[in-house]
Amino acid sequence: MAKEAKTRNRIIIGNWKMNPVSQKEAIKVFSSLADAVGKKTKTAKVICPPFVYLSELKKIAKGKSIILGAQDVYPEIYGAYTGEVSPFMLRDLGAQYVIVGHSERRAMGETDELINRKIKILLKEGLKAILCVGEADYDETGAYLEVIKGQLLSALAGVPRKQFENIIIAHEPVWAIGQNAKGADTPERFQHNSIFIRRLLTELTSKNIALAIPIIYGGSVTIKNAEMFLRAGEADGLLVGRESLLADNFAEIIKIADRL
Ligand code: PGA
């Protein structure tokens, strides 16, 4: 049992992706969730809805314990960037966390260089960055670890040490994400991968800084496997896709994290 793991508070993040289909539905899911999770708990709870729902959800989140996040950002403050959204705008709409480098965005052509710029601007602007890293394929010789290493080092290149406290690393194996996935990874493998990631973070910063960075698991998380990842896998939290749109299930995952 890693003693230091206890010093990191757990964080459960819901990534709604391009769902639900209407603002009315988004309000409904968010309100039920806020009611189901109740008051402040020791686990941090974040929902990352589509940008367009943020301002309405900000009103509901007021006085509630769920924090808002976003699923992406553009690495400039304002200007001629048609269709993009800046860190300022996100902060103004109540987002405190932003997902960067999700595999679905990488698949749309997002480069390591762009991800690095996004991470840097978010941290500079005082937002928290949820950096997603993950391999497309698992292999027993560990070649996939080089993929994780490459993504991590390029995303964090040039980030000042003192800003690492606002970073969360989500390991999401691409093969474990979404409806057509083979299913979730195993807690044992997550634990190994998170040690590997923390080792890299130590080399980039210092032992103390690296030990404070939450490393969370994502990919087909459900109420059935959440506890395994948090307990046996010693995950500092979870990044939940589909299941975060089911208010009762997501609330249950938060309760599981709170009980540990
Ligand atoms: P999933 O998505 O839980 O639906 O597999 C996870 C993610 O993409 O963050």
Side-chain angles (χ1 to χ4, degrees), residues 164-184:
F164 273 76
E165 63 184 20
N166 283 328
I167 294 175
I168 291 158
I169 309 290
H171 179 235
E172 296 204 297
V174 181
W175 53 264
I177 294 176
Q179 213 147 19
N180 302 321
K182 289 184 206 156

Side-chain angles (χ1 to χ4, degrees), residues 57-110:
L57 298 187
K58 182 186 176 189
K59 295 180 198 157
I60 306 169
K62 210 163 173 243
K64 300 274 176 22
S65 63
I66 300 179
I67 304 165
L68 285 170
Q71 300 171 19
D72 193 23
V73 68
Y74 193 72
E76 294 291 343
I77 298 303
Y78 62 90
Y81 305 100
T82 303
E84 297 295 345
V85 175
S86 86
F88 259 44
M89 296 169 185
L90 292 178
R91 208 171 40 203
D92 190 44
L93 291 181
Q96 296 178 32
Y97 289 79
V98 180
I99 298 173
V100 180
H102 190 280
S103 61
E104 287 155 12
R105 295 219 56 87
R106 291 180 192 261
M108 290 173 206
E110 185 157 281

Side-chain angles (χ1 to χ4, degrees), residues 214-240:
I215 302 177
I216 69 176
Y217 171 76
S220 296
V221 172
T222 64
I223 33 174
K224 294 207 183 84
N225 62 23
E227 181 157 359
M228 287 189 326
F229 281 103
L230 295 169
R231 203 186 276 279
E234 295 191 346
D236 298 319
L238 302 164
L239 180 50
V240 187

